[in-house]
Amino acid sequence: MTPTHPLRLVVLAVLAGAIGFATVGLWESLFDRTLPVPLMASVTLFLLAIAIFIWALLIRPRLLRKPGTKPVSPFTAARTAALAMAASRTGALVGGFYLGTALCFSGKLYIPIAKERLWFSLAAVLGAIAVVLASLWLEHICRLPGNDDDDPTRPGKRDNEPTDWALPTGQERTQAPPRD
């Protein structure tokens, strides 16, 4: 797996923001009312960010193999990194969508309900930013020092070759797999 690049998250957020902005206008033209923005969206995002942060705090000593902790299996570390990557992308998409809705509502502050929905949208954006930050930190601590498995230019790297972390603990690859 390659690390998450911030540019990818920005692109996802911008695309989702455009969709959010367009959704507000479309909703108003179709239903003659403003798009509902639930306060629970921001609460849920903050709870998710807290859960990811706590998971990162709990797994970090195990990944660092601190004394008195049970080491994490490579599969658990890979799954945790995949969860962190998915959460950062989801946070970028949700945050971008609500930022788009907030931008659309910011032009209608003379309507009381639009002002309320602007604040709910901004709270959701802050929650989504918290999810992205917690996810990026969790992904960062799941990286192994000197891990270059994703480097295609590395000498000795072959297509469809299993990586060392895919082997059970204590085993080493004795020979290369047969080539087709």
Side-chain angles (χ1 to χ4, degrees):
M1 288 188 290
T2 58
T4 301
H5 296 287
L7 181 61
R8 176 178 289 155
L9 297 178
V10 169
V11 168
L12 288 173
V14 168
L15 291 174
I19 292 170
F21 190 88
T23 301
V24 172
L26 183 64
W27 189 275
E28 289 175 355
S29 68
L30 290 176
F31 301 110
D32 240 2
R33 54 190 297 177
T34 60
L35 178 74
V37 178
L39 178 61
M40 287 307 292
S42 58
V43 172
T44 304
L45 287 167
F46 278 112
L47 289 176
L48 180 60
I50 290 169
I52 294 169
F53 182 74
I54 289 172
W55 178 251
L57 287 177
L58 293 175
I59 202 167
R60 185 170 189 253
R62 294 179 63 198
L63 286 169
L64 296 175
R65 299 182 185 266
K66 298 267 182 172
T69 61
K70 181 181 173 189
V72 176
S73 74
F75 292 116
T76 304
R79 288 178 186 143
T80 300
L83 168 84
M85 292 174 80
S88 66
R89 286 160 172 77
T90 302
L93 286 169
V94 172
F97 179 84
Y98 281 114
L99 186 60
T101 61
L103 287 173
C104 194
F105 287 134
S106 68
K108 303 171 184 174
L109 293 179
Y110 56 90
I111 304 170
I113 194 73
K115 186 183 283 188
E116 176 183 296
R117 291 183 179 166
L118 168 73
W119 290 112
F120 288 173
S121 295
L122 290 176
V125 170
L126 290 177
I129 290 171
V131 167
V132 169
L133 292 177
S135 299
L136 289 175
W137 184 54
L138 179 59
E139 181 185 341
H140 175 73
I141 65 172
C142 287
R143 289 188 200 151
L144 299 174
N147 184 6
D148 59 355
D149 285 341
D150 295 321
D151 185 8
T153 62
R154 187 183 90 199
K157 178 87 172 162
R158 296 184 184 144
D159 293 336
N160 301 323
E161 178 182 355
T163 57
D164 292 333
W165 60 264
L167 299 171
T169 307
Q171 277 189 342
E172 292 184 20
R173 193 175 332 119
T174 56
Q175 58 181 315
R179 307 238 328 146
D180 294 332

